Amino acid sequence: MTQRTHLFFLLTILLLGALLRFWGISFGLPGTFRPDEEYLVSRALFFHSGDFNPKLFNWPTLYFYLSSAFFYLVRLLADWSGVLTWHELGSYLTATNYAPAHLLGRILTACFGVAGLAATYQLGKVAFAPIFPKQASTAGLFSALLLCVTFIHVRDSHFFATDIPLAFFATLALVSFFRISQGGGWKDYLLGALWSGLAMGTKYTALSLGIPFAVAHFLKLFHSKTKPWHPQELKYVLLAAPLCFLLFFLTSPYILLDWETFQSSTAVVENFAKNGLAQLPTQFGYEWIFLFCVPQALGTPLLALCLLGGAIFLVQRKQEGLVLLALLCSFILPVLCVYSSVKWSPIRYITFLTPAFAVLATAPLCALLALAKERSQVHAFAALSFLICACTLPRIFSLNETLSRTDTRIATAGWITRNLPRSATLYSPTYFSYALPQFTEKQRIRYVKQKPAQDRYFTIVDRAPIAFSEPLSKETEEELTNSALLFSLGPRHCTSSSKEGPPWAIYDESDAFYTPLSEFSIGSCPGPVVDIFPSESSTYLR
């Protein structure tokens, strides 16, 4: 494969990756329905006041600061171009429910997602260099392509959250770890510490990078037959390890400066791990992680290639292949075991591991490519790439088409605004903010959690196959059974529907995200089923 052909394939993968990650990125707006986005938006904008203490440490703060800098740059460009003056920003964001800030944050995450493809290309190239010296670059292309079409990486690149930046920094750290295992020196240890520190500053999960870092170091010592206490090797360790934590605290300085708030935030995170989120009956454990989350996150084709890749290395028992397998497994398995041991692990947590899975899945593809004649390898690569895309893209296209359609909560809010009286009271017996339509202050729609004393109100009920949709009490259900159904809208029909609602696709029941993982329907849209019932004396025609 010539260098020009190689570059063409790489750019094609990056362009495809960008298309998949930016398509549907404005889902749900101007509603803010994606959990946790509001925390990043509020902190990133709050930093513009000059106070850089986030006063929230459920996550480290590196991505908060990066997002704030990005928002600041956009704000300067808007002010300079006359689109929006500096002083108009606050009122504009309030009037638009902060939707533009959410969109900008998602764009930043999608850019990290595309950059992650380039990082995974480099990871695959470095990892397979000792195994397929002549095909190392092609292995990098396969790795980038597999990550490009990995379902959970595409889906989470649409969110303003920390998982995709974490995966990006972790991938670059793994590149350095592989170079260390192959006899790397000062540059690789320093870069490994740099990227590990930045990953730790993005999400606490990155502390697990210490395991593959140590494995890479000991693999290097084993191959070179060097003692661990050799002065030069001790220098590497004694500099790299503290540097990781130094970068972590430099990117999250208020962990030390506001220790009391940090302790209260970590207590919340610890409670999530021990008791689940708000004591909801979510799935957890090894069966949940290994038999549901991993297969749904990766998809059947990628998972099959991963298992086949591991089997190839174990059967061949070649040193280079076992080194690759040991490094990747030292990264993947400890994280999955931790996820299995806690009581709240949504599928999005698997995103962190997807670049490593993509590299492992590259092995059988490289083995097949090696069977082709040298002059036919470009055609063989193109054929294998087409086959991979044919197996994975239909599900991703269905996801993005769904995200591009009007959310049921947005459609319901529009119907309420057009049809219900101004200042209407909506009683929600299963109140959960992410599941309900959102309104601006001007619309003066009021939600209440307790049944109003007055007669004139409307009952709004959401239904979805996730743990956050609590079942109705028997008393409420009996009352609604005898009430007229005023309005109902579900994800598989964006018109008035029957009271029973549609059959459900497969969802992640542990996450407050109302979009399927698989079994999409033609024309489906995101959001729960929303039913509205009038009280006996409610007047609902304007």
Side-chain angles (χ1 to χ4, degrees):
M1 189 182 297
T2 64
Q3 188 173 0
R4 180 176 295 181
T5 305
H6 184 89
L7 181 61
F8 169 78
F9 281 125
L10 180 59
L11 291 177
T12 302
I13 291 169
L14 294 177
L15 287 173
L16 175 62
L19 171 66
L20 298 178
R21 285 153 180 78
F22 282 94
W23 176 13
I25 201 168
S26 62
F27 75 94
L29 298 177
T32 53
F33 300 125
R34 179 58 206 164
D36 298 340
E37 283 190 342
E38 68 273 22
Y39 297 112
L40 274 81
V41 167
S42 61
R43 269 62 185 182
L45 293 172
F46 173 72
F47 293 155
H48 292 183
S49 67
D51 185 352
F52 297 104
N53 183 358
K55 301 178 177 64
L56 176 76
F57 298 101
N58 292 20
W59 308 269
T61 52
L62 173 60
Y63 199 46
F64 290 16
Y65 293 134
L66 291 177
S67 304
S68 184
F70 179 61
F71 287 0
Y72 193 83
L73 177 62
V74 173
R75 189 175 178 180
L76 286 175
L77 290 173
D79 185 50
W80 174 76
S81 62
V83 174
L84 189 69
T85 66
W86 193 271
H87 300 291
E88 292 172 340
L89 179 65
S91 57
Y92 171 70
L93 289 176
T94 301
T96 55
N97 198 30
Y98 288 84
H102 283 257
L103 180 59
L104 285 174
R106 293 175 185 179
I107 289 172
L108 181 61
T109 298
C111 290
F112 269 103
V114 176
L117 304 183
T120 304
Y121 162 77
Q122 189 64 24
L123 176 60
K125 184 178 177 181
V126 172
F128 281 94
I131 304 171
F132 300 108
K134 295 182 179 180
Q135 295 183 0
S137 296
T138 306
L141 289 176
F142 274 132
S143 299
L145 176 64
L146 289 169
L147 184 65
C148 174
V149 295
T150 298
F151 177 84
I152 200 65
H153 196 275
V154 173
R155 194 199 75 166
D156 280 30
S157 292
H158 291 79
F159 304 157
F160 185 26
T162 57
D163 299 288
I164 291 296
L166 169 65
F168 171 74
F169 291 127
T171 303
L172 293 175
L174 287 172
V175 172
S176 298
F177 299 165
F178 271 100
R179 285 178 171 154
I180 289 170
S181 71
Q182 296 163 11
W186 277 113
K187 178 182 177 181
D188 302 306
Y189 278 92
L190 292 175
L191 286 176
L194 169 66
W195 299 122
S196 297
L198 293 179
M200 290 161 56
T202 305
K203 200 167 184 178
Y204 300 118
T205 317
L207 288 166
S208 61
L209 286 170
I211 299 174
F213 205 158
V215 169
H217 177 69
F218 283 107
L219 285 172
K220 172 193 171 185
L221 297 180
F222 177 77
H223 293 153
S224 62
K225 298 181 180 179
T226 305
K227 302 295 184 183
W229 49 86
H230 187 281
Q232 186 63 36
E233 302 302 329
L234 285 175
K235 288 179 184 178
Y236 290 147
V237 174
L238 293 176
L239 178 65
L243 182 59
C244 290
F245 288 94
L246 176 62
L247 287 167
F248 169 68
F249 287 115
L250 285 176
T251 55
S252 302
Y254 284 92
I255 286 177
L256 297 176
L257 297 175
D258 191 359
W259 183 254
E260 185 177 348
T261 305
F262 172 70
Q263 286 182 308
S264 62
S265 293
T266 53
V268 172
V269 175
E270 185 180 358
N271 183 60
F272 288 170
K274 289 183 177 180
N275 305 309
L277 186 60
Q279 286 72 49
L280 293 173
T282 56
Q283 295 284 344
F284 62 92
Y286 288 92
E287 184 177 346
W288 166 252
I289 293 297
F290 285 93
L291 299 184
F292 181 83
C293 289
V294 172
Q296 287 291 333
L298 302 182
T300 302
L302 181 57
L303 179 60
L305 288 173
C306 287
L307 296 174
L308 185 57
I312 288 173
F313 292 135
L314 290 174
V315 170
Q316 290 181 342
R317 293 191 177 183
K318 291 183 179 179
Q319 179 175 303
E320 297 82 3
L322 292 175
V323 167
L324 185 150
L325 185 62
L327 259 178
L328 292 180
C329 287
S330 69
F331 173 56
I332 294 172
L333 292 180
V335 175
L336 292 180
C337 289
V338 170
Y339 289 165
S340 302
S341 65
V342 299
K343 290 190 176 180
W344 189 62
S345 293
I347 195 173
R348 55 189 164 95
Y349 287 0
I350 306 298
T351 308
F352 175 40
L353 305 173
T354 50
F357 278 118
V359 172
L360 183 57
T362 297
L365 298 175
C366 287
L368 284 174
L369 193 66
L371 299 177
K373 296 180 180 179
E374 188 172 350
R375 61 186 178 185
S376 305
Q377 288 196 348
V378 173
H379 297 90
F381 176 83
L384 288 171
S385 299
F386 177 80
L387 183 61
I388 291 167
C389 290
C391 293
T392 56
L393 287 182
R395 184 184 176 202
I396 294 173
F397 284 170
S398 296
L399 167 72
N400 286 341
E401 286 174 354
T402 300
L403 293 176
S404 299
R405 297 189 183 100
T406 302
D407 192 288
T408 58
R409 291 157 289 189
I410 296 294
T412 302
W415 184 90
I416 291 172
T417 302
R418 293 189 302 271
N419 294 278
L420 297 191
R422 292 186 181 275
S423 305
T425 297
L426 295 176
Y427 162 51
S428 175
T430 58
Y431 183 88
F432 180 60
S433 59
Y434 291 121
L436 296 172
Q438 296 175 354
F439 303 94
T440 62
E441 292 181 5
K442 291 182 179 180
Q443 292 171 298
R444 295 184 292 177
I445 302 294
R446 187 169 66 99
Y447 282 114
V448 293
K449 301 180 185 179
Q450 301 296 327
K451 189 174 180 179
Q454 74 268 24
D455 293 330
R456 295 186 178 184
Y457 64 90
F458 298 86
T459 301
I460 183 168
V461 177
D462 64 274
R463 289 182 286 119
I466 64 173
F468 296 87
S469 286
E470 299 180 22
L472 295 172
S473 66
K474 289 184 179 180
E475 180 183 350
T476 303
E477 191 140 5
E478 289 177 3
E479 182 180 330
L480 295 180
T481 301
N482 299 321
S483 301
L485 178 61
L486 176 62
F487 173 85
S488 183
L489 191 66
R492 290 195 177 183
H493 45 72
C494 291
T495 57
S496 294
S497 69
S498 66
K499 190 172 180 179
E500 293 180 358
W504 294 106
I506 294 179
Y507 287 72
D508 176 8
E509 66 174 61
S510 64
D511 201 358
F513 185 59
Y514 297 82
T515 298
L517 294 170
S518 56
E519 297 186 9
F520 293 87
S521 294
I522 296 174
S524 64
C525 56
V529 170
V530 183
D531 296 333
I532 299 177
F533 302 84
S535 63
E536 292 183 3
S537 57
S538 294
T539 302
Y540 54 85
L541 293 177
R542 284 199 172 187

